[in-house]
Amino acid sequence: MNKTAKILLVNDEKDILEILSRRLIAENYEVVKAYNGVECLKILKGYRPDLILVDLNMPKMNGFETIRVIRQRIKWHIPIIVVTATDSDTESTRQCLDSGADGCICVPCEKEELLTKIREMTMK
């Protein structure tokens, strides 16, 4: 496992953000939090994460738009996983991938499922 991986969490739900943050810190990941897409983009001006976990339903800028802007503005590839409470279906997954995400995971999920997906993306 990449114990030094830096992860940017983007979610307007403080409870979900805190749960994910605690889980990742317990696994020795460095975690930075953003509460919406606008804040995420500001953080990316001075921070280079190894992975971004982003929610879809957020105020100011939803997850799809946030991903599209990241892909347009950031010159290096950052793996992005959509973490959403929206029921997973083929259409939602397709939309996530079409917007530029590298994967999609629904919460609540098993801790090991989340960590496996993160390891896959940070070890590439």
Side-chain angles (χ1 to χ4, degrees):
M1 173 172 31
N2 186 349
K3 298 233 181 232
T4 60
K6 299 180 285 186
I7 299 175
L8 176 55
L9 299 178
V10 187
N11 197 311
D12 64 312
E13 296 287 334
K14 290 182 180 181
D15 291 342
I16 292 173
L17 200 60
E18 288 307 313
I19 290 167
L20 289 173
S21 179
R22 276 188 253 125
R23 283 183 179 181
L24 296 174
I25 290 169
E27 296 294 324
N28 296 317
Y29 289 103
E30 178 183 309
V31 175
V32 172
K33 301 176 219 173
Y35 294 94
N36 58 59
V38 174
E39 189 174 329
C40 168
L41 296 173
K42 286 180 185 175
I43 289 169
L44 287 174
K45 288 180 181 180
Y47 182 71
R48 189 171 179 162
D50 299 303
L51 175 70
I52 298 172
L53 298 178
V54 63
D55 185 25
L56 289 181
N57 299 314
M58 298 182 291
K60 298 183 183 180
M61 181 183 287
N62 70 34
F64 294 123
E65 187 178 354
T66 301
I67 294 166
R68 280 192 288 273
V69 172
I70 290 169
R71 293 297 185 226
Q72 290 169 356
R73 292 186 186 170
I74 303 298
K75 302 301 180 205
W76 68 92
H77 181 76
I78 303 170
I80 300 172
I81 300 173
V82 172
V83 179
T84 183
T86 305
D87 288 335
S88 180
D89 59 29
T90 305
E91 181 61 21
S92 295
T93 301
R94 185 192 61 74
Q95 285 180 323
C96 291
L97 297 176
D98 286 350
S99 69
D102 297 288
C104 185
I105 192 163
C106 289
V107 291
C109 65
E110 294 297 321
K111 178 181 174 182
E112 200 51 46
E113 178 184 3
L114 175 66
L115 293 175
T116 298
K117 190 71 136 175
I118 290 170
R119 281 192 291 269
E120 287 172 4
M121 295 293 165
T122 58
M123 296 183 90
K124 288 183 177 182

